[in-house]
Amino acid sequence: MEEYLQYRPEGDTFSLFSAEHIWTLVIISVFILGIMLLKKSWMPHQHSIRLVLAAILFLALITHQIWLLSEHAWSAASALPLHVSDLSVIFAFIMLINGSEKLFQFLYFAGIASSVQALLTPDLGTYHFPHFQYLVFFISHGTVILAVLVMLMAFSYKITFRTVWVCVLIVNLYAAIIFAVNKWLGSNYMFLMKKPEGVSLLNVLGKWPWYLIWAELIMIVSFLLLFWMYKRGRLHD
């Protein structure tokens, strides 16, 4: 059991789209489909479901920080939740508690897009199932998507074409702040300074800074696709 809690476990590195990765994605997809297809069943209990999802996100965030501290591995240069997908965990927790429409609008685009990218190409190094880091990573990012879908179906929140570009602007302004933070801490949050060492979509997008330009374009296309899905879903409601 202790080996699944070690900060630097020995053994094979995480393998992209291995059996364990695919099965993890299947399980998350089943939960997502369940939320979408069984709306009438869970809707009367949506408040309780929101609290459960919020508790999962809170526990994932807190236990991860405690684990890093217990392993003497906490560092401001690597352990702060400053990646967009990590920040989305915090925002999703707040959204589930207070029902913020503004947070929902941001998370519908930035939260879903960053979480999907993280789930498909996780930078996990030597962490694989059932290591604590592996479980926390997939549970937290998968729960962000579930949280956004629950709020989307439980409330009549509005998303406009303008919202897409507001979110693009927010992410870019945030990236500018994080670039300065990276310079200060010697960190690599949002992978603005260099590409991740593990498997990542960024690794096929060229060298720095060109992969940042491609990442920007992919983000915009992803947001536009999510907007199209929102509009299509509303037409069929």
Side-chain angles (χ1 to χ4, degrees), residues 68-154:
L68 289 173
L69 288 169
S70 67
E71 290 291 305
H72 307 288
W74 197 95
S75 166
S78 61
L80 295 174
L82 295 181
H83 290 289
V84 173
S85 58
D86 295 330
L87 193 66
S88 294
V89 173
I90 299 174
F91 284 171
F93 167 75
I94 298 172
M95 174 190 68
L96 289 165
I97 297 298
N98 68 11
S100 170
E101 184 172 5
K102 293 297 184 182
L103 283 179
F104 165 79
Q105 291 171 338
F106 176 77
L107 288 170
Y108 179 79
F109 293 107
I112 290 181
S114 62
S115 294
V116 168
Q117 189 274 330
L119 291 172
L120 291 178
T121 58
D123 181 27
L124 285 174
T126 57
Y127 303 118
H128 48 81
F129 183 83
H131 193 279
F132 171 79
Q133 173 76 346
Y134 181 97
L135 296 175
V136 167
F137 181 91
F138 282 102
I139 288 173
S140 59
H141 293 313
T143 303
V144 168
I145 298 174
L146 290 174
V148 175
L149 291 178
V150 165
M151 299 300 284
L152 173 64
M153 290 183 281

Side-chain angles (χ1 to χ4, degrees), residues 8-227:
R8 298 188 183 279
E10 299 179 356
D12 298 331
T13 59
F14 172 82
S15 180
L16 187 67
F17 299 130
S18 59
E20 65 179 22
H21 186 201
I22 291 175
W23 274 112
T24 302
L25 295 177
V26 167
I27 292 171
I28 293 172
S29 298
V30 168
F31 277 99
I32 291 172
L33 289 174
I35 287 291
M36 296 172 65
L37 298 177
L38 301 175
K39 178 180 177 179
K40 291 182 179 180
S41 299
W42 62 260
M43 186 62 77
H45 313 287
Q46 61 92 2
H47 182 70
S48 297
I49 290 175
R50 286 165 54 194
L51 291 179
V52 169
L53 293 176
I56 292 172
L57 291 172
F58 179 79
L59 288 173
L61 181 66
I62 295 300
T63 56
H64 185 250
Q65 294 294 312
I66 292 174
W67 172 68
L68 289 173
L69 288 169
S70 67
E71 290 291 305
H72 307 288
W74 197 95
S75 166
S78 61
L80 295 174
L82 295 181
H83 290 289
V84 173
S85 58
D86 295 330
L87 193 66
S88 294
V89 173
I90 299 174
F91 284 171
F93 167 75
I94 298 172
M95 174 190 68
L96 289 165
I97 297 298
N98 68 11
S100 170
E101 184 172 5
K102 293 297 184 182
L103 283 179
F104 165 79
Q105 291 171 338
F106 176 77
L107 288 170
Y108 179 79
F109 293 107
I112 290 181
S114 62
S115 294
V116 168
Q117 189 274 330
L119 291 172
L120 291 178
T121 58
D123 181 27
L124 285 174
T126 57
Y127 303 118
H128 48 81
F129 183 83
H131 193 279
F132 171 79
Q133 173 76 346
Y134 181 97
L135 296 175
V136 167
F137 181 91
F138 282 102
I139 288 173
S140 59
H141 293 313
T143 303
V144 168
I145 298 174
L146 290 174
V148 175
L149 291 178
V150 165
M151 299 300 284
L152 173 64
M153 290 183 281
F155 299 95
S156 300
Y157 291 149
K158 302 297 182 183
I159 293 176
T160 65
F161 190 61
R162 178 177 177 273
T163 312
V164 176
W165 301 107
V166 169
C167 289
V168 169
L169 177 61
I170 290 173
V171 172
N172 279 278
L173 290 175
Y174 179 68
I177 295 171
I178 295 304
F179 184 83
V181 171
N182 285 335
K183 285 286 190 179
W184 178 39
L185 295 177
S187 53
N188 189 32
Y189 293 115
M190 292 183 71
F191 303 116
L192 295 176
M193 316 309 289
K194 62 179 181 179
K195 293 185 287 188
E197 297 179 0
V199 177
S200 171
L201 175 63
L202 298 179
N203 290 328
V204 299
L205 298 181
K207 297 182 179 180
W208 190 94
W210 302 110
Y211 73 83
L212 296 176
I213 298 174
W214 282 110
E216 175 81 7
L217 294 175
I218 290 172
M219 177 185 69
I220 293 173
V221 171
S222 300
F223 286 11
L224 291 172
L225 177 60
L226 285 165
F227 180 70

